[in-house]
Every structure is written in C-alpha cells, then in structure tokens.
Amino acid sequence: MIQLKTEAQISEMKLAGRITGEALALAGEHIKPGVTTKYIDNIVRAYIEKCGAKPSFLGYGGFPGAACISINDEVIHGIPSKSRVIQDGDIVKVDVGAFYHGYHGDSANTFPCGNISDEAKRLIEATKESFYRGVANAVVGNRLGDIGSAVEEYNKKCGFNVVREFVGHGIGRDVHEDPNVPNYGTPGRGTRLLKGMTIAVEPMVCAGSAKVKVLSDNWTVVTCDGSLSAHYEHTLAITEEGPILLTKID
C-alpha cells in the first residue's frame, strides 16, 4: 500500500536526505587507488552517526555494512571488505541510506577511480542522464511507466541495457515501501503518480547484457557477462510543483 506523505513529512524526509547526500559525497571524495571498500564504508557510517542518524542498510536483512560498495561488473549490494582494494581505472558504485527523525533517505552514485576507460565514462554519463530523463516524467498524473520507459529508451540509444531483476522503490518510514519503480516500462501504463508519493528512482545500467546473478555471499549482484555496470539514484517527492530531489545536495 502506497504511503502518501504530507508537506510536513516531506520536510522531515529532506533532513534524512541531506545526511544521505552528504555521506555519499564524502565517500566519493575518498575513493582513490589503494583504498579499501571497508575504509569507505567506515567513513560513511561515521558521518551518518555523527549527524545523529543511523545507516539504513546496516543490519538490514543481515547486511553487514553501512553502504553497498560495488566495483566494475558488480551492479549493486557489494559488501564492504578490508581485502577489497580499489584500483586505478575502477568504477565504484556507492549506495547510501540514512534514517533520521523517523524517515529514510537513499541515494547512489558511480565514482571513477583515476583513469577510467572511455566506455566507462560513457556508461556513467548515460546512467546519470537517464535518471534525469526519467525524473522529468515524475509529475502528478503521469504513471510509473512514463519514468521507466524514459530511463530505458535513453540507455538503449546509448547502446546500454537496464537491469530488470532489481528496481527502484517507494521510501519513507521504511527504506523499501510500495510501489516498485522499474527502469523500464510503457508510457501511460503502471501506477499513477500522486501528490505526496516519495520514491527512489535508480537506474542500474550494463554496458553489455542486462542479465545479472547473485554471488555466493547472497548479496553481491554482478553482470553475467562480466561487463561494466553503473548506478545512479536519488530519493524524490512527487509534488504539484514537480519532483523534488530530497537527497541531492548543492
């Protein structure tokens, strides 16, 4: 059941969103060759807790980290590790959530480490641009299919494919709420967008095949063909004035 939020509740969610966005930006600043994914995770956790919030993902379903950190062909849900060292040329996806004053924020970005390939650059840029093309359709009266189709069609034009097994979601008092928010769809189809809906739109895009699998750790999702993937996400609110990105910081 979709939980519509009041203006006051959306204002509360902005607080969680700001902390989430700042923690994500801080993670990006520390990504460099030789750093471990656990080091980045520690930075994220320390900042969120310093702000008086709680990491949304820590312990969620048994997840052991404050952030999901996924490298290259890892799409999402990478487990932070002291033994996983970030290398020059890697693309690093960091997904962060913060719980504050009863609400969650959720945001992700793909960060380049050092000198990355031209294909990786194109993939990162296309994933981010497809997010904004999707969100341009996140207006009252439209449907979820309008968002998803815009995301998928842009990536197709760029020669990339969107993951179908994992999707965006509603968010609020729970980090995952109704509805599911696919990165594909048909314009004019799907759940109608209403004032007060708060959702996380998060394109997960592959340079090769969109087929993915979960590793034996039961968390890390990778591309089946070993191709690169990118991820970009913000929490947003549907309002009469248009979508408001709650996790985007200046």
Side-chain angles (χ1 to χ4, degrees):
M1 186 174 181
I2 297 172
Q3 304 293 322
L4 300 180
K5 314 302 190 300
T6 65
E7 290 185 10
Q9 289 172 321
I10 290 173
S11 293
E12 289 289 329
M13 288 188 68
K14 286 181 181 178
L15 301 177
R18 176 182 56 78
I19 295 170
T20 302
E22 289 173 351
L24 180 61
L26 187 62
E29 291 172 6
H30 285 82
I31 288 174
K32 60 183 179 180
V35 166
T36 69
T37 56
K38 183 60 177 175
Y39 175 77
I40 300 298
D41 184 67
N42 289 340
I43 288 172
V44 169
R45 179 175 181 176
Y47 183 80
I48 291 173
E49 292 178 344
K50 177 184 175 183
C51 293
K54 295 181 179 179
S56 298
F57 306 152
L58 185 61
Y60 184 83
F63 190 78
C68 300
I69 306 177
S70 313
I71 300 175
N72 296 334
D73 65 326
E74 297 169 351
V75 183
I76 49 173
H77 301 165
I79 298 175
S81 171
K82 293 180 180 178
S83 63
R84 188 66 190 274
V85 180
I86 299 171
Q87 307 288 340
D88 182 73
D90 285 344
I91 61 172
V92 184
K93 284 132 284 183
V94 183
D95 192 352
V96 174
F99 181 68
Y100 186 70
H101 283 197
Y103 292 96
H104 293 272
D106 190 359
S107 186
N109 201 355
T110 303
F111 299 100
C113 180
N115 299 304
I116 65 172
S117 68
D118 289 341
E119 179 187 50
K121 290 177 183 177
R122 276 205 321 117
L123 178 64
I124 292 172
E125 291 168 359
T127 302
K128 183 176 180 178
E129 176 64 20
S130 73
F131 166 86
Y132 283 101
R133 292 193 177 218
V135 169
N137 291 277
V139 298
V140 173
N142 274 4
R143 294 182 181 269
L144 284 177
D146 297 310
I147 297 175
S149 62
V151 170
E152 182 176 39
E153 288 308 310
Y154 183 77
N155 281 297
K156 280 184 175 179
K157 288 179 181 178
C158 295
F160 302 132
N161 295 294
V162 299
V163 172
R164 286 177 169 256
E165 287 89 337
F166 297 88
V167 298
H169 51 90
I171 183 170
R173 292 196 178 277
D174 293 318
V175 69
H176 291 105
E177 297 182 349
D178 289 334
N180 286 336
V181 183
N183 295 303
Y184 56 89
T186 302
R189 302 294 295 273
T191 301
R192 189 173 297 279
L193 302 178
L194 303 174
K195 176 184 176 181
M197 287 177 65
T198 49
I199 58 176
V201 177
E202 50 176 320
M204 292 158 269
V205 184
C206 304
S209 169
K211 293 183 179 180
V212 297
K213 62 183 178 181
V214 181
L215 296 183
S216 59
D217 62 15
N218 294 320
W219 281 105
T220 309
V221 178
V222 301
T223 58
C224 288
D225 62 3
S227 63
L228 293 174
S229 71
H231 184 199
Y232 191 82
E233 174 187 22
H234 278 300
T235 297
L236 61 101
I238 308 296
T239 77
E240 292 288 1
E241 291 73 35
I244 299 175
L245 301 185
L246 304 177
T247 48
K248 187 174 177 62
I249 60 173
D250 292 335

